[in-house]
Amino acid sequence: MEQKRVYLDNAATTPVKKEVLDAMIPYFTNNYGNPSSIHFFGREVRKPVDEAREKVAKLLGATSNEIYFTAGGSESDNWAIKGAAFKLMNKGKHIITTKIEHHAVLHTCEYLEKEHGFQITYLDVNKDGLVDLDNFKSNLRDDTILVSIMFANNEIGTIQPIREIGQICKEKGIVFHTDAVQAVGNIKIDVKELNIDMLSLSAHKIYGPKGIGALYIKNGVKLDNLIHGGAQERKKRAGTENVPGIIGLGKACEIANDNLESHISKLTNLRERLMNGILNEIPHTIVTGSRENRLPGTASFCFKFIEGEALLLSLDLVGIAGSSGSACTSGSLDPSHVLMALGLTHEIAHGSLRLSLSDFTTEEEIDYVIEKLPPIIDRLRRMSPLYEDFLKGESVNV
């Protein structure tokens, strides 16, 4: 009998939708020209690239000349932060971010701190993963040149008060960047209304191909280039354009924009079915992240007396794919920096599970997880000395 397979790791990557793949295929074969070439073969792909740029811009409420294609979210984050830091360093060298950012942001800030003498403030978050606006304002300084705060967290799904943060930055004349890799295509975003100066996104989180992303740069915001070479992307990002990837990203954004309301409604209903089912069936379970300010398709938990790696392996044996953190950190034995920032103990943080849904997720799959997960948790707990002590009524550090 074939093993049932349930993919609930869509925050790590999504499948490419058929419509996206169909749109891309001609640009691998028949329409293979370099869009920088002036002959027919180049011209016939330049127009579709420009149309894809418009589709990305429409999803964000931007204009097409504010969209720059990159190789993905990590490059976009690097370019936004390094580009702004080096361009504005004569005005100051203070940057504000949070302790729960993706490593593409954290490691970039650490690089600027160690190698170039920038001062970085890493804001605390509350138990739900939210930035406190008063604390944020109190950390602003006269030499603050950049704020980089993610739109929605990749591990716990918490959505930050982006509009308020953007308004504060606007009033202070500080450039505001947000890593919106998890948010784009999953919630409504209007960069103008939200006072966002720069925004990072990635195609493979919204049913597009890997290896392509974009950086929104508000008109008037000046950045140093990250990649030097040719004159592509209006002389801001060198390298021959990844035409099939760009077409795929544009199509994915078009689909997301056309179906955003139904996408949000479906995933929110499935998420609540999943979260309520797990909480009803499994005691000693903690929801991580805000229950209200949460991405529609992200459910995240910590199970007391459980070790995350054993949980993932056990789920895999019954055909369920989840995550014990972001894809970039799941190979580490250290507890998630995000969960530690919420104030959880090492013991609890090690028992984390993220289940992230997609347009392809079904109620049947959700119910299958609710059926299979409780006995797995029970079996693993009975192997835990801490759980044994807990059952005996002894004090344990969880």
Side-chain angles (χ1 to χ4, degrees):
M1 185 174 179
E2 186 176 349
Q3 172 68 64
K4 185 178 181 66
R5 299 290 181 192
V6 177
Y7 182 74
L8 295 183
D9 199 15
N10 291 277
T13 195
T14 57
V16 175
K17 286 187 173 178
K18 184 180 185 302
E19 306 96 304
V20 173
L21 179 61
D22 289 345
M24 294 172 63
I25 287 175
Y27 298 91
F28 288 109
T29 53
N30 297 331
N31 305 333
Y32 52 80
N34 185 325
S36 296
S37 300
I38 62 173
H39 50 60
F40 167 79
F41 293 91
R43 295 196 307 273
E44 74 171 351
V45 298
R46 171 52 61 188
K47 183 179 179 182
V49 166
D50 291 341
E51 290 172 348
R53 199 184 307 274
E54 291 172 0
K55 292 173 182 176
V56 177
K58 185 177 181 181
L59 180 61
L60 302 178
T63 57
S64 60
N65 67 347
E66 296 174 307
I67 303 300
Y68 296 83
F69 294 119
T70 68
S74 290
E75 184 193 326
S76 295
D77 287 342
N78 271 260
W79 185 13
I81 295 169
K82 292 176 183 175
F86 293 139
K87 194 71 173 179
L88 300 171
M89 62 190 299
N90 63 322
K91 297 181 179 180
K93 300 185 76 172
H94 180 235
I95 297 171
I96 293 179
T97 188
T98 78
K99 292 181 178 179
I100 64 168
E101 299 295 311
H102 189 278
H103 283 121
V105 169
L106 291 178
H107 289 170
T108 301
C109 288
E110 290 168 8
Y111 162 78
L112 291 173
E113 195 171 22
K114 293 177 182 177
E115 301 297 332
H116 295 278
F118 284 83
Q119 294 182 312
I120 315 295
T121 295
Y122 299 92
L123 296 176
D124 290 321
V125 294
N126 66 17
K127 62 181 178 61
D128 291 329
L130 288 165
V131 169
D132 180 82
L133 291 174
D134 289 333
N135 182 49
F136 167 62
K137 287 189 284 188
S138 70
N139 278 281
L140 292 170
R141 306 182 339 198
D142 291 339
D143 62 340
T144 303
I145 56 170
L146 175 66
V147 170
S148 181
I149 294 178
M150 68 192 335
F151 207 118
N153 187 265
N154 49 299
E155 292 189 35
I156 59 176
T158 294
I159 300 170
Q160 297 295 343
I162 293 297
R163 184 189 305 273
E164 293 81 356
I165 294 169
Q167 182 62 38
I168 294 166
C169 290
K170 181 180 180 180
E171 292 170 357
K172 298 287 187 179
I174 299 169
V175 175
F176 175 43
H177 165 253
T178 184
D179 175 345
V181 165
Q182 295 291 336
V184 168
N186 286 309
I187 54 178
K188 180 175 173 54
I189 295 176
D190 187 312
V191 290
K192 308 300 183 185
E193 290 182 3
L194 298 174
N195 303 300
I196 296 169
D197 295 312
M198 297 186 289
L199 178 147
S200 303
L201 64 92
S202 182
H204 78 102
K205 307 294 189 179
I206 54 171
Y207 314 101
K210 298 173 180 64
I212 184 71
L215 179 64
Y216 157 77
I217 307 173
K218 181 181 177 180
N219 285 331
V221 174
K222 304 297 183 183
L223 299 182
D224 274 5
N225 290 1
L226 180 67
I227 298 177
H228 299 87
Q232 292 87 0
E233 294 303 291
R234 304 184 293 286
K235 300 183 179 180
K236 294 301 295 179
R237 197 271 187 184
T240 299
E241 293 92 340
N242 173 6
V243 176
I246 289 169
I247 300 303
L249 171 58
K251 187 64 176 177
C253 287
E254 180 182 50
I255 294 170
N257 197 49
D258 290 345
N259 301 291
L260 188 58
E261 287 188 13
S262 60
H263 167 83
I264 292 172
S265 177
K266 175 186 175 178
L267 265 62
T268 300
N269 289 334
L270 288 175
R271 183 201 70 200
E272 288 302 294
R273 186 185 186 103
L274 176 64
M275 295 183 74
N276 290 332
I278 288 175
L279 291 172
N280 288 336
E281 295 294 329
I282 305 174
H284 315 303
T285 298
I286 299 170
V287 172
T288 54
S290 170
R291 191 71 195 259
E292 294 77 26
N293 300 307
R294 174 182 290 273
L295 289 172
T298 300
S300 55
F301 312 89
C302 280
F303 302 102
K304 294 183 179 182
F305 316 108
I306 290 293
E307 198 281 312
E309 185 176 10
L311 175 57
L312 290 184
L313 291 172
S314 297
L315 286 171
D316 188 54
L317 289 174
V318 295
I320 299 170
S323 172
S324 192
S326 69
C328 302
T329 61
S330 57
S332 171
L333 293 177
D334 294 328
S336 158
H337 70 284
V338 174
L339 299 180
M340 296 306 294
L342 302 186
L344 299 175
T345 65
H346 278 65
E347 291 79 7
I348 291 177
H350 271 303
S352 68
L353 176 67
R354 180 190 67 187
L355 299 172
S356 44
L357 320 180
S358 81
D359 289 341
F360 302 104
T361 305
T362 65
E363 288 187 358
E364 179 188 11
E365 289 176 328
I366 296 298
D367 293 343
Y368 180 76
V369 174
I370 296 171
E371 173 194 345
K372 294 296 183 181
L373 184 57
I376 289 174
I377 296 292
D378 184 63
R379 176 176 60 82
L380 293 176
R381 279 179 173 162
R382 293 190 180 280
M383 298 166 59
S384 166
L386 283 176
Y387 187 59
E388 185 177 342
D389 292 341
F390 172 77
L391 294 177
K392 293 176 181 177
E394 299 178 12
S395 177
V396 294
N397 187 31
V398 290

